[in-house]
Amino acid sequence: MTGLQLYLILGAAVFLLGLHALLMTTDSIRRLIAVNLMGAGIFLIMVALAGRISPPDPVLHALVVTGLVVAISATAFALRLITAAARIDSGQSAIPDKASRLASKTLSDVAEDSRP
Amino acid sequence: MTYALVSLSIPLLSALVLMLAGARLSKRNAGIMAILTSLLSLVAAWFCLLDVAAANQSILLNLGGWENGLAIRLRLSPLSSLLLLFAAFMHVLIGIYAGFSRQSVSRDFWTLSCVLHGSLAALWLSADLFNLYITLELLGLTAVAMVALAGKKAYKPASNYLILSLVASLFYLLGVALVYGRYGSLDVVLLGLQTQSDTTTRIALLVMTAGLMLKAALWPLHLWLPAAHANAPTAVSALLSGLVVKGPIFILWLLWSEVAPVDLAQQIGPVLAVAGMIALVAGGLSAMRSPYLKTLVAYSTVAQLGYAMMALGLLMTWQLPQMHVALWLFVIAHGLAKATLFLAAGEMQTTLGTKRVSGLRGATQTVPVAMFAFAVAGGSLIGLPPSGGFLAKWVLLEPMLSSPQNWPWAFGVLLGTLVSAAYIFRVVAISFDRARINPPDVRPDRLGHWLALLPALMVWGMALIGEWLIEFLSGGGV
Amino acid sequence: MSTLFTWTSLLPVLIILSSLIPGLLIFATPEHARTRRTLLNMTGIVIKLILVALMLAGVSQGLTFRFEIPFLPSAPLVLHGDALSLQFIALSSILWLATTIYAIGYLEGSPLRSRFFGYFSLCVSATVGLALAGNLVTFLLFYELLTLSTFPLVVHRGTPAALKAGRVYLAYTLGGGTLLMMGVALLHSLVTTPDFTAGGYVLAQIEDSSLGLQIAFILMIAGLGVKAALVPLHSWLPQAMVAPAPVSALLHAVAVVKAGAFGIIRVVYDVYGVEASTLLALTQPLLWLAAVTMIYASIRALQQQDIKRRLAFSTVSQVSYITLGVALAGPIAAVGAIVHLVHQGLMKVTLFFCAGNFAETLGIHKVQEMDGLGQRMPWTMAAFSVGALGMIGVPPVAGFISKIYLGMGALEVGQPWVVLLLAGSALLNAAYFLPLLYRGWFGKPPADGWQKDNFKNHRFETHWMLLMPALFTALLSLLVGIFAGSILSPLGWSEFIVSREFAQ
């Protein structure tokens, strides 16, 4: 087994591990971490692929750097959203909908022109 | 090409200005600026369309003047010019709605809508797999932020949407990495010449497809869509259903019609087409059962995307250019109709003070214009002639009917039509109920109602340019 | 493109616009602006009648009226005024006049009249467009628009019963429309969509794709059969009776039911052609279907105690005469079918006007309540009798002419059993109409007076706007029967149409 293959398998394993965690948990923070793990797996694969030729492929390195930037911003945004959602999770009151109130209205006010 | 770049960069620049200006710009002025931005972009897109129509072929641009293979390429095809125009128009329309109707939006809406517009324009123009990833991610993040604009109750659906969106992008990214590792190129055109149907390519295309299907809410990966679209503010729902889900479909189409080897596409095509058929029926049935109006409309998006998926799947299977026309006619007709449906639904909700379908009793009297708009747009979703939806369905049906072994697919279209008719007329029939009218809480907002009607009329107006549209889409092709 | 601007090409468009534009304006008319609404209605009708007369004159002079704009590849939108479409347009325009006057009287003082008359005009526009359609795609377009514009009329009352009927109506008609669309698309993929041609245009393809042609035919007839209320696709029609009387009159006599029958005529004569239909073995099953419908619906009509429901089943039965005549595939039967399109319309609209008058004036809905009606409302009862006798086929009312031609047509093509069928149907018609007439003229009025009497001290027996249309259409049914021999009668015109149709 070459080094390239080893890293590729490792990357795939990390990706799958993340996917597994994502599917198995419901907690938002855990799921976010799982997503990040998947991302790490992919970056590992990309860095490994860059080494398939020598000198290593600079394009893939550039892609990984770009991908990291995207991942960091997305994670920051997600964290903010998740914490905000968690904070208000408890305080939702159920006001009955107007339609359900109206449904109890009788048929007596049937439209004007009910000629047979 | 210059016009296309103008159409793309104006919204991005505006977004930057709006972000930097922050509170120094009043909300009203921010709105006006964003609308003007979309309007300018619309004009540029129009010239761009004329350019392409005159040249009658795709125009390629190597960004930064790098040579092929190294450069990130932009491509202006007839289709992308049409989509540029479409996206700009939708932004103008929904911008006017958000700015001047009673449905108030926060200041951030304007910044985000400019970013959304810019990223869509970039998506239509990209011909590079990684560039497409960036636009896709940008689109997803902006869309999530816009859903969250609805306030606290939308945070939960928004964060779910975000996680799914990130996962979907990662799947796509994995595929991109594999493709690059295999072929050493990311350029769509160059890849199209190289790809073979080996295992790596197969896996790469499959994970990308899964990711994109999740993003586009294609059945069976659609479960996030109704919650996200139904909970967003009205203007945002219209943008999401009308435009945002079309982005991933564009990439999916690009992948399978250009990058993927033909024999692979032919293998996967029927699977997608069958999934589309199921989406039509399953989404339609969910819409039929939904007690809430906006959820009904959101499920109808799931169902209607089934048509697009069917067209794509059959395009892959049969490699017929008509299917390409059908696909994009569906996308445009659905975008316009869905904008009306969401705007009308939002208006009716506000005026009648209820989110339930059953609250629409008597809506033909209390909110006549909005209800009429809803019915007219619904007619296009059903595919009644001479609407845009009919045009698309007709083009889709032609190859299905031309040889007897394809007739089962036509049966799928038949089924889809009937189910769509059922959920649209479920709403329309209730609105004629005069026995127990739901009285409006407030006076109907005239501007909002008439704006809702506008895209519905346009989708029916597509019939007038139907032949030209079909020719334009099939002539230049890719 | 230069043909776009000649008056002959614009006339078909103007005929449609003459009801469409007033309709749209009526939507924008405030509820209380009664005079403005009536004025708009009447202006539209007068203009339409003038234009139709102009076209009639033109067609009999041999002018062609054709308008075309691009729509789908090799299937443009074509409006074409030929002799057959004029038959239908003339009928619908004249009955639009009668029905509008009737509806103004009928709906006096009730809410949502602007909406009602708006959709009413749209419905007429769709009907006229359907008559003028020059190819199948255009026909399909107006066929669907007709469904959409009639739905609000069916549910106009907005009661639970009306909504239920409306849902049934939609389920049937939209389903039918979808089948029709499939049929049209299938046929388009086989032979594209040229203009309607006398003698049809599929004959050349009959060798290569007979199965496809047969399936397309079945799909289209199934789609059209829903509106034409062929058994077993007829159930929506009796339910749609909850609509206001003018709507029922319009649906039954002109718009919806006739659209289906007219479509069948078009498909058999101008798309497939008699020769190809016979070669594909399609006419005989259609004949059987029509025969079953005729007898079954008559028997069902016998069982109905509600006047409007009885009339509804009678419509189902009578409209199948048209299908029968078409399916016989001979020139004389064709004359019978085409002329019955008009005759049935005139007689049925009379019957519905009268039934509406009974209900509006005296609150009578059931057959048993009709005793002695002739004493209180002699004019309405007389008009009703004309219609009923015509339906049975008593000379000299219009129905007699149709039946004679259908019978002769059956003999001509060697299907004598159809004559027996017609006789049986006439007997059944008599069985469900004569009791009504007997009760009306010879029954004793209720001793304790009528349960309600709305127009007691009126100059006429009922509101003049309700009475006049009924008398007008009754008179017409008589006149077209008496003067059937003249070239200007519907019969003369039908012979003119058929002479072109069977010239090939």
Side-chain angles (χ1 to χ4, degrees), chain A residues 9-27:
Chain A
I9 291 168
L10 255 172
V14 172
F15 180 85
L16 289 175
L17 211 62
L19 186 62
H20 174 80
L22 180 80
L23 295 176
M24 289 299 143
T25 52
T26 48
D27 182 70

Side-chain angles (χ1 to χ4, degrees), chain B residues 364-365 384-386 390-391 393-394 397-398 401 407 410 414 417-418 425 429-430 432-435 463 466-467 470, chain C residues 70-73 111-112 115 141 144 148 151-152 155-158 163 167 170 174 178 181-182 185-186 188-189 215:
Chain B
T364 40
Q365 279 158 274
L384 296 177
F390 170 75
L391 220 57
K393 207 160 69 177
W394 181 268
L397 272 176
E398 274 313 300
L401 293 171
W407 287 351
L414 181 85
T417 308
L418 294 178
F425 279 100
I430 284 176
F432 277 96
D433 191 337
R434 282 161 66 189
E467 203 172 13
I470 293 172
Chain C
F71 176 44
L72 296 167
L112 292 180
R115 187 179 92 187
L141 189 154
E144 297 281 25
L148 298 185
F151 172 71
V155 295
H156 181 72
R157 291 218 164 96
L163 286 183
R167 289 198 179 99
L170 268 183
L174 282 177
T178 313
M181 186 199 73
M182 293 311 242
L186 177 56
H188 180 88
S189 72
I215 292 178

Side-chain angles (χ1 to χ4, degrees), chain C residues 354-365 369-378 380 445-446 449-456 461-462:
Chain C
C354 295
N357 287 356
F358 297 151
E360 278 302 283
T361 315
L362 302 174
I364 287 174
H365 300 282
E369 301 164 344
M370 285 184 73
D371 284 330
L373 255 181
Q375 293 175 26
R376 168 66 181 80
M377 304 177 70
T380 310
W450 303 98
Q451 45 176 325
K452 77 172 189 187
D453 201 338
N454 274 335
F455 297 94
K456 208 165 190 173
E461 61 193 44
T462 182

